[in-house]
Amino acid sequence: MAAKEATFRVLPGGTTYEASVQVTGTGYGFWGPGLMGERVPLQVEDLKVLGPAGPVDYREAGRGAIAFPEGNYTITYQVPVRDNHLVAIFDTPYAVTVALPEGLDVKNPLIGMVSPGGAVSPGPNETMEITWDRTDAVEVRFYAPEREILLTTFGTIWLSVAIVLLLPYFISWRRDGG
């Protein structure tokens, strides 16, 4: 079951993503990494397996896995996003695209991140696209503009407190000939 291409589109609001994954073979597993790197099954919704002639029947094949007849398919599904953090891990290298809707960003390195190899570029309709040519894992932490405002406010307050607390020290140090 080797995937050729995978696309993840975060829906407006950032609480869910839609995935579209091309696969070849007889099965596919829906999982993410656990705390110790173990496979944790994802709770997928609106699952569809599409072949060249349309929808294909599939069967459950254990926790977080499905099976279907041998062939080339596109699997589509939706998964809830936790803490503005999207992680996808594959068994073989994929060409991956992650699309973020207008209003979500990854550019501030203090609150956003893109796993190595990801190229960030503007997408259609004011979206943002992050692409990897060949990867077996992607990780994207995105944020809304309000989070950046909170970070700036928090930093400004701490800088002000630091100046107020350190100013008397520097004045006395300078007066004492330091």
Side-chain angles (χ1 to χ4, degrees):
M1 77 181 149
K4 298 169 181 126
E5 194 172 297
T7 302
F8 299 90
R9 187 172 65 87
V10 176
L11 300 179
T15 60
T16 305
Y17 71 80
E18 290 179 338
S20 175
V21 182
Q22 295 177 354
V23 297
T24 300
T26 60
Y28 187 75
F30 306 95
W31 58 276
L35 293 174
M36 305 296 281
E38 74 278 12
R39 291 182 179 206
V40 176
L42 295 175
Q43 292 188 321
V44 300
E45 300 169 358
D46 200 22
L47 174 61
K48 295 180 184 109
V49 178
L50 305 169
V56 174
D57 289 332
Y58 61 89
R59 64 179 169 76
E60 299 289 326
R63 285 184 41 166
I66 59 171
F68 35 79
E70 176 79 32
N72 296 323
Y73 301 100
T74 299
I75 300 173
T76 63
Y77 56 94
Q78 291 186 355
V79 176
V81 174
R82 292 182 44 195
D83 301 323
N84 294 345
H85 195 208
L86 186 151
V87 178
I89 299 176
F90 309 102
D91 291 332
T92 59
Y94 286 48
V96 179
T97 300
V98 174
L100 297 177
E102 180 181 7
L104 297 180
D105 204 344
V106 295
K107 294 178 189 154
N108 187 325
L110 296 174
I111 54 177
M113 69 90 63
V114 172
S115 59
V120 179
S121 61
N125 301 325
E126 311 241 349
T127 62
M128 177 181 296
E129 287 190 347
I130 306 152
T131 57
W132 293 261
D133 289 333
R134 280 180 58 83
T135 186
D136 55 2
V138 299
E139 183 176 7
V140 176
R141 188 172 52 242
F142 54 88
Y143 57 89
E146 301 84 43
R147 273 197 132 164
E148 196 164 24
I149 291 168
L150 283 173
L151 177 67
T152 303
T153 303
F154 182 75
T156 302
I157 290 170
W158 270 105
L159 184 60
S160 300
V161 168
I163 289 171
V164 167
L165 293 176
L166 292 175
L167 192 59
Y169 170 75
F170 287 128
I171 290 172
S172 69
W173 178 65
R174 193 164 181 186
R175 212 178 328 154
D176 293 340

